[in-house]
């Protein structure tokens, strides 16, 4: 279809969106509780106005979802051409941030909704009290937040403003907001700050484009959503909720995977978050980026292997015309983009040896300091530009920008139109429901309305009792832990069988059937052989204890021992973790099903009563709960060192009286013991086994901790959301009946006026729905 087709459709949809908002404003003025989630009508209107503006501006929202430390901030920084987002060794992002790439802007600016600025300002006061009361403990545990803790205790932090400009101020505030959210998750676990935020802060920024693309016209405006990783212990429940909220309002999704950690449990959490959204927006709007491929080593998964893995794992299907899987070297792309941007900005004024971006790029090119200094001294501007351009192309980011992000922007109109039409359809259907109920209620006698109100009150009270009886976190934790004890015990036994390969004198072959995780038998057999090879021919201090002359030799032997058992040990842990995760998912499903069996009849009964009493059709909400998996980190070995005594021969002078020249001393060789600074290094198989066992055990304990902090917390939060949805269903119709009762008490003229208003609302809403259905057909035809 020609672009004029889309532009005309876009214009028509914006006009319709504006008319729907005007209708909803009239409905709000008439006290109609039209919001599908029973939120405040004004808040829902503000949200719709923002969505309308995004359609007007052709603003596409693309969340970038990734495990922690996958390089998400690095990729975003490389796209914009400078260090925009904060980064450090600890996880940084806890607050979703919308990043708008804006042409013509000279410096970044951060805007925060007024209600959110007030929320953060009050949060500072609450945290200051907590920090003052627990400063020593927090300072020990959170050394990387020491400056923030000091500022909170000293009451140095002022209120949060609604707008910040300039790179330095923006970066400082972003770090502060993210750390406040992280700290609130630890000190105010029930506050749910992320759940109270009305919208993600917006970071508008200039961005760098290759000169040949600098004047290219682009359709629409792309907003990248920097989201928290869903695999952070402690704040995981809140973070996944925040990410889910951003995904619900997105148009396209970009999943970023870490090449060095592909297939780990964090990837499963990503899929659990994105799969429901992808089902709504379509798998064709899902893009995948595999970062850090510059760490690929001989024998690692090649490009074809990466493509195959991602296609299977994420269910992507692509061909040469439909590229949606990309490999990137984020760090390389970032330093190259910064160097090119500095050259574009400074021109001939740029002094390579003094410019931070140029120095950083050169530093990445060479490992030897002499080579680095030589390049800084001798490179010309042209050499720097040529090399940086080549590395930028090599980073894979141009391919992502050209075939991914540019394509998304080119498809902005149909994507935004489809999203807007779906939202308007849901809102209008909810509006018609409550308007009809109120109109039919007003036509009934007051007693009938009172009877239905009382019935609704009873159902609401019953629902509240069910909510109060809902399994609490401690109860869930106890139930889950109790039912998983057998799995955990089985996992411990499996670990013991694997580690038996390190038992002194037990390096012979073992039966392939261990009785626990029988499929581990062959792995344990090979581990025993490897341990036997490792200790063969070595110097034994005592049974199971080997002596080495240097630390390097001892470390190498420890690596051989641990390497022999690490593969089966990890296999046992992964199998056990999968079994435990499966058991937890089964328990979670049963808990949800039990609550649904108790609560859904209340809703269906209320719906039938209202439908029968007032001849309206009420939609019973479909509410479900998503379960998210758990992840366990890897362990590491330890060593032990001893100092030894030695004997040496020494020459001494002695006088022997029997010797005829007894007055002349003679030299004689004697032996003596002495201590030297030289050390020997002893490696005990038993100690290595004990350390590995402790590490394995700590990982099992970590599973239990994750059950408490993540699974139980997530399940509890989702159960609360389930009941909130049911409350919203009853609350919406309860409010409508109360309004109908008030209408019934008014004069005939007033009732006629209200009836006319409601009829007008219903008629207008139905007309809008007809138009929306027509737009949806045009949208489908245009694709």
């Amino acid at each position: 279809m020609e672009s004029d087709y889309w532009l005309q459709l876009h214009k028509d949809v914006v006009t319709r969106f504006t008319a729907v908002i005007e209708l909803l404003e009239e409905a709000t003025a008439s006290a109609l509780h039209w919001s599908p989630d029973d939120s405040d009508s004004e808040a829902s209107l503000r949200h719709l106005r923002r969505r309308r503006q995004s359609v007007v501006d052709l603003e596409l929202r693309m969340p970038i979802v990734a495990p922690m430390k996958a390089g998400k901030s690095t990729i975003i920084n490389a796209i914009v051409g400078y260090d925009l987002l904060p980064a450090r060794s600890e996880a940084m992002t806890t607050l979703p941030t919308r990043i708008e790439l804006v042409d013509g802007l000279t410096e970044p600016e951060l805007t925060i909704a007024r209600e959110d600025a007030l929320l953060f300002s009050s949060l500072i006061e609450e945290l200051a009290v907590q920090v003052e009361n627990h400063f020593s403990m927090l300072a020990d545990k959170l050394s990387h937040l020491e400056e923030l803790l000091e500022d909170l205790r000293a009451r140095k932090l002022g209120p949060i403003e609604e707008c910040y400009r300039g790179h330095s101020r923006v970066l400082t505030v972003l770090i502060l907001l993210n750390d406040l959210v992280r700290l609130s998750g630890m000190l105010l676990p029930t506050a749910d700050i992320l759940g109270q935020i009305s919208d993600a802060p917006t970071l508008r920024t200039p961005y760098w484009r290759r000169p040949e693309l600098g004047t290219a016209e682009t359709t629409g405006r792309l907003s990248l959503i920097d989201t928290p990783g869903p695999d952070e212990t402690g704040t995981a429940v809140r973070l996944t909720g925040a990410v889910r909220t951003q995904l619900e309002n997105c148009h396209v999704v970009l999943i970023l995977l870490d090449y060095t950690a592909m297939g780990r449990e964090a990837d499963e959490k990503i899929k659990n978050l994105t799969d429901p959204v992808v089902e709504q927006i379509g798998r064709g709007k899902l893009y995948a980026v595999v970062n850090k491929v510059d760490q690929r080593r001989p024998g690692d998964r090649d490009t074809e292997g990466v493509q195959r893995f991602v296609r299977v794992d994420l269910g992507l299907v692509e061909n040469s015309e439909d590229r949606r899987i990309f490999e990137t070297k984020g760090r390389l792309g970032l330093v190259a983009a910064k160097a090119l941007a500095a050259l574009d900005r400074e021109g001939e004024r740029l002094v390579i040896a003094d410019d931070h971006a140029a120095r950083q790029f050169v530093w990445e090119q060479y490992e030897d300091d002499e080579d680095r200094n030589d390049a800084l001294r001798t490179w010309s501007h042209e050499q720097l530009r040529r090399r940086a351009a080549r590395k930028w192309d090599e980073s894979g980011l141009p391919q992502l920008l050209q075939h991914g992000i540019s394509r998304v922007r080119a498809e902005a109109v149909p994507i935004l139109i489809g999203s807007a039409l779906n939202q308007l359809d849901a809102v209008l259907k909810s509006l018609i429901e409550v308007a009809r109920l109120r109109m039919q209620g007003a036509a009934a006698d007051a007693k009938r309305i009172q009877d239905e109100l009382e019935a609704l009150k009873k159902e609401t009270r019953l629902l509240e009792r069910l909510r109060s009886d809902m399994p609490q976190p401690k109860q869930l934790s106890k139930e889950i832990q109790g039912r998983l004890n057998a799995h955990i015990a089985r996992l411990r036994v499996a670990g013991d069988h694997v580690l038996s390969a390190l038992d002194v004198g037990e390096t012979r072959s073992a039966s392939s059937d261990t009785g626990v995780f029988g499929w581990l038998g062959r792995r344990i057999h090979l581990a025993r052989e490897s341990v036997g090879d490792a200790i063969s021919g070595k110097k034994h201090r005592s049974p199971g204890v080997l002596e080495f002359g240097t630390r390097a030799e001892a470390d190498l032997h420890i690596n051989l021992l641990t390497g022999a058992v690490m593969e089966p040990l990890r296999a046992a842990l992964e199998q056990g973790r999968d079994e435990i995760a499966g058991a937890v998912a089964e328990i979670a499903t049963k808990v949800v099903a039990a609550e649904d069996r108790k609560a859904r009849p209340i809703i269906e009964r209320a719906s039938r009563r209202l439908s029968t009493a007032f001849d309206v059709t009420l939609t019973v909400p479909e509410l479900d709960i998503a379960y998210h998996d758990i992840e366990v980190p890897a362990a590491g070995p330890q060593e032990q060192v001893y100092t030894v005594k030695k004997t040496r021969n020494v020459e001494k002078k002695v006088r022997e009286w029997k010797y005829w020249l007894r007055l002349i001393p003679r030299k004689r060789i004697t032996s003596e013991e002495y201590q030297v600074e030289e050390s020997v290094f002893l490696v005990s198989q038993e100690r290595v086994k004990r350390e590995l066992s402790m590490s394995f055990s700590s990982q099992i304990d970590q599973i239990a901790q994750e059950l408490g902090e993540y699974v139980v917390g997530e399940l509890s939060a989702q159960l609360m959301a389930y009941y909130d949805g049911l409350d919203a269903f009853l609350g919406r119709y309860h409010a409508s009946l109360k309004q109908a009762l008030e209408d019934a008490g008014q004069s005939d003229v007033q009732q006629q006026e209200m009836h006319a208003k409601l009829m007008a609302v219903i008629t207008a809403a139905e007309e809008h729905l007809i138009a929306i259905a027509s737009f949806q057909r045009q949208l489908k035809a245009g694709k």
Side-chain angles (χ1 to χ4, degrees):
M1 285 288 180
E2 296 294 329
S3 59
D4 289 346
Y5 176 92
W6 291 116
L7 293 176
Q8 184 59 50
L9 183 58
H10 172 252
K11 180 181 178 181
D12 293 342
V13 169
V14 168
T15 301
R16 185 64 58 173
F17 207 142
T18 303
V20 170
I21 288 178
E22 290 173 355
L23 175 63
L24 294 171
E25 288 171 341
E26 293 175 12
T28 302
S30 299
L32 275 175
H33 296 263
W34 53 266
S35 180
D37 60 0
D38 197 37
S39 61
D40 176 70
S41 297
E42 285 297 337
S44 297
L45 276 172
R46 285 195 297 272
H47 173 71
L48 282 172
R49 291 185 190 110
R50 284 196 295 266
R51 289 301 296 269
R52 177 195 170 278
Q53 194 59 45
S54 73
V55 176
V56 170
D57 297 336
L58 290 176
E59 181 208 10
L60 277 168
R61 290 193 175 195
M62 183 170 75
I64 301 181
V65 188
M68 290 190 304
K69 313 309 290 182
K72 172 165 49 65
S73 295
T74 301
I75 292 289
I76 294 175
N77 287 341
I79 289 173
V80 301
Y82 68 102
D83 290 318
L84 172 70
L85 297 178
R88 62 180 176 218
S89 57
E90 296 82 7
M92 184 69 248
T93 305
T94 58
L95 178 67
T97 305
R98 184 164 71 251
I99 300 148
E100 293 182 2
L101 308 180
V102 182
D103 289 313
L105 203 63
T106 58
E107 62 180 1
E109 59 181 36
L110 179 70
T111 57
I112 304 167
R114 184 172 184 275
E115 55 268 39
D116 296 336
L118 293 173
L119 175 66
F120 278 112
S121 297
S122 63
L123 177 62
I124 288 173
E125 295 301 318
E126 293 182 63
L127 290 175
V129 175
Q130 295 290 327
V131 170
E132 190 172 21
N133 294 335
H134 308 286
F135 182 80
S136 297
M137 179 271 291
L138 293 170
D140 290 339
K141 187 177 181 180
L142 306 171
S143 57
H144 60 290
L145 298 181
E146 183 177 357
E147 185 176 350
L148 173 61
L149 296 174
E150 289 281 7
D151 289 345
L152 284 168
R153 184 173 65 166
R155 303 295 202 278
K156 288 183 178 179
L157 298 176
I160 299 299
E161 301 172 15
E162 295 178 43
C163 185
Y164 296 88
R165 290 186 176 86
H167 182 259
S168 178
R169 291 197 75 203
V170 165
L171 192 62
T172 300
V173 173
L174 275 178
I175 293 173
L176 173 62
L177 296 181
N178 278 281
D179 284 343
L180 288 174
V181 172
R182 174 172 284 101
L183 201 55
S184 71
M186 301 173 187
L187 302 182
L188 305 168
T190 61
D192 190 13
I193 298 301
L194 288 171
Q196 298 180 54
I197 293 174
S198 66
D199 197 15
T202 299
L203 178 52
R204 302 177 72 246
T205 178
Y207 64 104
W208 173 79
R209 283 191 283 179
R210 288 288 297 275
E212 62 269 26
L213 301 177
T215 58
E217 293 185 4
T218 55
T219 304
R221 184 176 73 208
L222 180 65
S223 291
L224 308 175
I225 312 294
D226 183 25
T227 63
D231 49 341
E232 182 176 350
T233 304
T235 56
V237 175
R238 303 303 184 199
L239 297 191
T240 51
V243 174
R244 192 178 295 114
T245 298
Q246 293 302 320
L247 290 174
E248 288 169 353
N249 294 310
C250 75
H251 308 105
V252 226
V253 177
L254 189 148
I255 295 180
L256 180 68
L257 301 175
D258 181 348
Y259 176 81
T260 64
M262 285 175 63
R264 291 187 186 170
E265 212 66 36
D267 296 352
E268 288 298 316
K269 292 181 185 176
I270 296 292
K271 290 196 298 178
N272 286 333
L273 276 171
T274 56
D275 276 353
V277 180
V278 170
E279 290 303 318
Q280 291 181 357
I281 66 175
R283 205 154 290 273
K285 296 185 180 67
L286 177 65
Y287 292 80
V289 174
V290 179
N291 192 33
K292 302 184 182 180
V293 294
D294 42 349
Q295 297 187 38
R296 180 182 274 138
R297 297 292 179 265
D300 288 351
R301 190 183 278 121
D302 60 11
T303 297
E304 184 179 345
V306 167
Q307 295 271 329
R308 186 167 54 250
F309 174 88
V310 175
R311 282 198 298 268
V312 172
D313 206 46
L314 299 181
L316 287 179
V317 178
E318 66 164 14
N319 52 47
S320 57
E321 291 79 31
D322 184 22
R323 186 174 181 189
R324 287 184 287 123
I325 304 172
F326 303 90
E327 288 189 356
T328 59
K329 305 173 182 178
R331 177 66 186 170
L332 180 64
L334 174 59
V335 296
K338 287 168 64 176
L340 290 169
L343 284 166
D344 292 343
R345 184 177 59 251
E346 300 295 331
E348 294 300 320
R349 297 190 306 273
L350 184 134
V351 179
I352 293 177
D354 296 337
D355 184 81
H356 176 72
R359 292 181 64 85
Q360 198 174 35
F361 177 76
V362 169
W363 186 270
E364 290 287 331
Q365 304 309 298
Y366 301 102
E367 294 184 359
D368 185 76
D369 285 342
E370 186 174 338
D371 291 336
R372 290 168 176 164
N373 291 330
D374 184 59
L376 290 172
R377 187 177 65 256
T378 62
W379 275 13
S380 66
H381 287 174
E382 182 55 33
Q383 283 177 292
L384 175 60
R385 184 180 296 278
R386 188 168 56 250
R387 178 109 178 201
R390 188 168 72 249
K391 293 302 177 182
W392 167 253
D393 291 337
E394 184 185 315
S395 73
L397 286 169
Q399 293 77 18
L400 170 63
L401 292 172
Q402 178 182 353
H403 298 286
I405 292 177
S406 292
R407 177 185 165 191
V408 167
R409 296 182 74 169
E411 297 175 350
V413 178
I415 291 173
L416 282 163
I417 287 175
S419 175
L421 293 177
N422 290 338
Q423 185 171 27
L424 292 179
D425 184 80
V427 169
L428 287 168
K429 286 177 178 176
S430 176
L431 174 63
I432 290 172
E433 280 187 3
V434 295
R436 281 179 175 163
L437 178 60
R438 181 171 170 183
M439 188 171 65
Q440 295 289 345
D445 60 82
K447 185 177 184 308
R448 189 176 207 181
I449 300 174
Q450 287 283 13
D451 289 345
E452 295 305 323
L453 278 171
E454 286 302 318
L456 271 180
K457 285 180 181 178
K458 289 180 181 178
E459 303 290 21
T460 301
R461 285 195 293 269
L462 180 56
L463 195 64
E464 284 304 312
R465 283 200 295 273
L466 290 180
R467 182 197 282 269
S468 64
D469 292 337
M470 180 185 73
Q472 298 301 306
K474 286 185 179 180
Q475 180 185 348
L476 286 171
S477 181
K478 184 177 180 181
E479 179 182 354
I480 290 175
Q481 196 64 51
R483 296 181 63 178
L484 292 182
N485 279 342
H487 291 278
I488 291 175
R490 191 163 177 257
L491 179 53
R492 292 187 189 279
V493 172
D496 290 342
H497 275 266
V498 172
L499 291 171
S500 68
L502 292 171
D503 288 342
V504 178
E506 293 292 333
T507 57
R508 63 184 181 280
S509 297
S511 169
S512 61
D513 182 11
T514 66
V516 177
F517 291 174
W519 53 271
L520 280 174
R522 178 60 181 166
R523 288 180 168 90
I524 297 174
H525 174 92
L526 294 174
R528 290 180 184 276
E529 291 182 346
S530 297
V531 171
D533 292 341
I535 65 176
S536 177
K538 298 293 189 301
K539 182 178 181 181
H540 289 254
R541 171 63 66 89
S542 60
V545 179
L546 301 178
E547 179 181 319
F548 298 90
T550 67
R551 181 181 295 275
E553 291 173 335
D555 286 342
L556 177 61
H557 183 69
I558 289 174
N559 289 337
L560 290 173
L561 292 180
T562 57
V565 298
M566 194 58 72
E567 192 273 336
L569 201 61
R570 284 174 177 156
L573 187 65
E574 289 175 5
Q575 175 69 12
R577 181 182 56 205
D578 289 344
E579 288 192 8
I580 290 171
V584 171
E586 182 182 348
I587 294 168
T589 301
K590 289 180 179 178
V591 170
V592 173
E595 294 302 310
D596 193 57
R597 283 194 300 271
K598 292 184 289 185
R600 185 162 291 275
I602 298 174
I603 299 300
E604 292 176 344
R605 189 165 56 242
S607 177
R608 285 195 300 270
R609 282 184 61 92
L610 292 171
S611 298
T612 302
F614 302 108
D615 191 25
V616 293
T617 301
L618 304 180
T619 305
V620 178
E622 288 296 330
L623 302 168
D624 58 3
I625 295 180
Y627 163 71
H628 300 287
D629 214 344
I630 53 181
E631 181 180 12
V632 181
Q638 293 182 344
E639 66 171 278
Q640 187 174 3
V641 178
Y642 293 95
T643 302
V644 297
K645 292 182 178 180
K646 288 191 175 183
T647 303
R648 63 185 174 187
N649 293 327
V650 296
E651 185 180 72
K652 291 186 176 181
K653 293 180 179 180
V654 297
R655 297 179 186 275
E656 296 181 358
W657 290 98
K658 60 184 178 180
Y659 186 58
W660 68 278
L661 290 175
R662 56 184 178 275
L663 297 179
I664 302 174
R666 280 188 76 183
K667 294 180 180 179
R668 186 176 179 182
I669 304 300
T670 62
S671 63
E672 67 177 13
E673 288 187 347
Y674 70 103
Q675 289 185 338
V676 292
E677 295 298 326
E678 178 187 357
S679 297
V680 294
F681 300 88
L682 306 180
V683 177
S684 165
Q685 286 176 235
E686 182 60 33
R687 180 175 177 82
V688 171
K689 176 186 175 183
R690 185 167 64 250
E691 295 297 330
L692 284 172
S693 179
M694 289 172 60
S695 176
F696 188 78
S697 181
S698 72
Q699 293 179 65
I700 297 173
D701 293 339
Q702 182 71 17
I703 291 176
Q705 178 185 345
E706 289 286 320
L707 288 172
E709 293 185 354
Y710 186 80
V711 179
V712 173
E714 174 75 358
L715 184 54
S716 297
Q718 296 261 355
L719 283 175
M720 290 295 291
Y722 174 82
Y723 276 103
D724 286 344
L726 299 183
D727 284 340
F729 177 85
L730 294 180
R732 184 163 64 249
Y733 299 122
H734 185 272
S736 296
L737 286 181
K738 284 189 70 175
Q739 287 293 334
L741 186 61
E742 292 179 12
D743 295 342
Q746 293 179 339
S747 66
D748 291 343
V749 173
Q750 289 173 319
Q751 287 189 44
Q752 290 173 3
E753 289 177 353
M754 180 54 65
H755 185 275
K757 282 184 180 180
L758 293 172
M759 277 301 300
V761 166
I762 293 171
T763 301
E766 288 175 339
E767 289 176 355
H768 288 316
L769 283 175
I770 292 171
I772 286 170
S774 173
F775 290 150
Q776 288 173 328
R777 287 192 296 272
Q778 293 178 57
L779 183 67
K780 188 175 181 180
K783 291 180 179 179

